[in-house]
Amino acid sequence: MAPIFDVNPSPERIRRLKTAIADREDASSSVELLMESAFYMEIRDDEAAGITAEIAKTIENNWEKLAREGGMTRDEIEAFRPAFQHDEAQYAKNIGKKKTLSMEATGLFFRVLTKCGGDKYSGAR
């Protein structure tokens, strides 16, 4: 399988894929559907979230510059902006944050618990 496919930014159309992610009947361009399908590709949830967020951030930080370098006019760039800046893109960019914060909070909780004499709860003897 190609490392990238079905990448055709079209700001004026409904966000639908030419190639469905998992369900042949559902060609929705959905980050949530992508995440639900990660295990089919043998990708852990946290790894999929990290990859998705990294790609979304890379697109956000580079699409406009690359469009200018490719010769697009200011009006053309503005016309294509909705293809790159939308709710799904923001969701994708932030998808890994909740998991990271909860992992940090869990680590902090166990450190505090241990310092407060919580060894009996952590299994330490």
Side-chain angles (χ1 to χ4, degrees):
M1 186 180 263
I4 188 167
F5 61 96
D6 201 10
V7 180
N8 304 297
S10 297
E12 69 281 348
R13 71 177 178 147
I14 298 170
R15 294 189 205 304
R16 301 205 40 87
L17 303 172
K18 298 291 183 196
T19 307
I21 294 171
D23 182 354
R24 291 179 191 217
E25 303 299 319
D26 186 2
S28 301
S29 178
S30 160
V31 173
E32 189 172 334
L33 181 60
L34 176 70
M35 295 301 298
E36 289 172 4
S37 303
F39 77 95
Y40 291 119
M41 277 73 74
E42 299 180 3
I43 300 173
R44 295 184 326 268
D45 288 349
D46 61 331
E47 185 180 8
I51 292 167
T52 301
E54 182 180 346
I55 290 170
K57 289 173 189 171
T58 300
I59 291 169
E60 178 185 62
N61 293 333
N62 293 289
W63 80 267
E64 197 170 343
K65 175 181 158 259
L66 293 171
R68 276 193 306 275
E69 288 175 3
M72 290 179 73
T73 67
R74 184 176 306 197
D75 288 342
E76 290 169 331
I77 290 170
E78 287 308 313
F80 270 81
R81 187 172 302 283
F84 296 99
Q85 295 178 345
H86 49 78
D87 291 343
E88 279 292 301
Q90 287 303 311
Y91 177 69
K93 188 177 81 169
N94 294 312
I95 196 162
K97 287 185 179 180
K98 290 179 185 173
K99 292 181 183 194
T100 301
L101 290 175
S102 66
M103 288 170 56
E104 288 173 5
T106 301
L108 177 61
F109 170 75
F110 282 113
R111 284 195 304 274
V112 170
L113 183 64
T114 302
K115 285 188 180 207
C116 294
D119 288 342
K120 63 183 172 191
Y121 300 111
S122 67
R125 302 269 178 231

